[in-house]
Amino acid sequence: SPCTEWVSAAERPGGSLLTRQLQELWRRSRGSLTPQRLLFEVTSASVVSERSSKYVLYTIYLIRSGQFDKAPATIARRYSDFEQLNRRLRCRFSCDMASIAFPRKRLRRNFTAETIAKRSRAFEQFLSHLHSIDEIRRSPEFLEFFFLPDLQAAQRLTCTGMYREALATWANAYRLQDRLGVCSSGRFLLTLAGLAVCHQELDQLSEAHGCCEQALQLLEAQGSHPLLGPFLQAHVHLAWKVGKDKRHSEARLQDLREAGLPLQQQPSLKECLIKETLE
């Protein structure tokens, strides 16, 4: 059974039960990705000088066609990030990638307004072209280019107690996954855990409760998942605090107890976040 596989994977050195179950959920959810017309717009480009290097940072908005987004989903990437994505995708999807243009590296004049403007348009077209190809749009290489850096940054900020900054970063990761249509993947559940933890730490209890509700709806069909117990326990606690109904979650916790899950030893949502390896 899948559960046995996950347990044995967790017992192997370096195996992560959470990661493996999230990957399984990711695999199952990939079939349900719905294509959506997404526009990629470079809204600004700034030259950044660091100790011994200088590069251009491109800020890109992901915009759903025909809709107004109050809070845009944004990424900031440099040429080398795009180059790495291009390389990884060409390794895996050589046929699909054959017709996709990528702006060449220049030996000089990299920082002129003309080069930056041309590259901005080229990156917009590059991402739009990638998104139009079914297999590429669903691939972890493409998807994680957008939201993995935010998840890693949000995790670091949460671990160091910088909850306000972490909250903004988890929220952007949420919007990115929403625009990309991956709101049932394991990464999305982890994002909801991050939002719930930060909202709770900032005393925004009804928002934290809402995040737990959303996660539990996604987990409704899951008989067993490493985040199910932690989300249920957080939901019961928060529902009690904000005066909402907690009976359904209490009943689900009781079912888990009867199935032999030692709930006293269950990690909290925060401990799940800190332990998860994001790479």
Side-chain angles (χ1 to χ4, degrees):
S1 77
C3 287
T4 326
E5 284 169 36
W6 286 329
V7 170
S8 62
E11 286 163 356
R12 287 200 297 273
S16 156
L17 177 64
L18 182 58
T19 302
R20 279 164 200 285
Q21 274 199 289
L22 291 179
Q23 283 167 348
E24 181 66 25
L25 188 63
W26 169 278
R27 272 198 294 278
R28 281 207 294 266
S29 73
R30 274 178 62 201
S32 64
L33 290 183
T34 47
Q36 172 149 45
R37 179 94 170 91
L38 255 195
L39 306 172
F40 301 91
E41 188 184 325
V42 175
T43 56
S44 68
S46 51
V47 177
V48 179
S49 292
E50 283 178 352
R51 287 177 300 279
S52 57
S53 69
K54 192 172 159 187
Y55 58 88
V56 180
L57 196 62
Y58 298 86
T59 299
I60 297 153
Y61 280 19
L62 278 68
I63 302 160
R64 271 189 286 232
S65 133
Q67 290 185 21
F68 172 71
D69 288 324
K70 276 201 309 287
T74 69
I75 58 169
R77 300 286 182 272
R78 50 196 285 188
Y79 181 90
S80 57
D81 298 321
F82 284 102
E83 199 174 35
Q84 185 186 27
L85 173 66
N86 181 51
R87 212 168 37 242
R88 291 179 73 193
L89 290 174
R90 282 184 200 278
C91 279
R92 189 165 161 209
F93 303 103
S94 52
C95 292
D96 285 322
M97 292 295 291
S99 62
I100 297 181
F102 186 77
R104 285 201 310 274
K105 208 168 183 81
R106 296 172 65 116
L107 292 175
R108 55 182 195 280
R109 293 178 60 76
N110 279 301
F111 302 104
T112 64
E114 187 191 5
T115 300
I116 291 171
K118 274 186 182 163
R119 278 215 177 138
S120 297
R121 300 296 79 80
F123 287 143
E124 289 173 351
Q125 287 162 4
F126 175 66
L127 293 175
S128 293
H129 203 156
L130 295 176
H131 188 260
S132 71
I133 298 169
D134 210 37
E135 275 301 295
I136 291 178
R137 182 177 60 246
R138 296 169 180 215
S139 71
E141 290 90 342
F142 177 73
L143 292 166
E144 294 189 348
F145 167 78
F146 291 95
F147 56 77
L148 189 60
D150 268 10
L151 293 182
Q152 290 167 330
Q155 184 188 46
R156 280 194 302 274
L157 290 163
T158 307
C159 290
T160 52
M162 297 176 74
Y163 300 113
R164 204 165 295 284
E165 295 85 345
L167 182 60
T169 313
W170 288 118
N172 190 56
Y174 178 104
R175 289 192 293 271
L176 288 165
Q177 290 168 90
D178 174 50
R179 303 297 184 276
L180 293 159
V182 283
C183 286
S184 52
S185 78
R187 301 290 203 201
F188 191 68
L189 282 169
L190 203 69
T191 307
L192 288 170
L195 287 168
V197 166
C198 292
H199 277 306
Q200 189 170 357
E201 293 287 350
L202 294 166
D203 223 25
Q204 298 162 356
L205 301 185
S206 59
E207 289 87 346
H209 174 263
C211 294
C212 291
E213 294 247 286
Q214 195 180 347
L216 290 173
Q217 281 165 8
L218 284 174
L219 289 165
E220 191 68 54
Q222 298 275 312
S224 140
H225 186 282
L227 283 172
L228 179 57
F231 265 122
L232 285 170
Q233 288 178 319
H235 185 252
V236 167
H237 172 72
L238 288 160
W240 175 73
K241 287 262 195 185
V242 297
K244 300 272 188 184
D245 188 358
K246 54 185 174 43
R247 286 170 300 183
H248 184 54
S249 288
E250 285 176 328
R252 288 181 79 186
L253 277 171
Q254 189 53 39
D255 291 344
L256 291 179
R257 272 190 206 96
E258 285 165 12
L261 191 72
L263 289 173
Q264 289 75 22
Q265 291 150 35
Q266 282 281 286
S268 67
L269 278 182
K270 195 171 174 182
E271 287 165 341
C272 290
L273 277 183
I274 289 167
K275 286 177 186 162
E276 181 56 13
T277 310
L278 286 167
E279 52 193 26

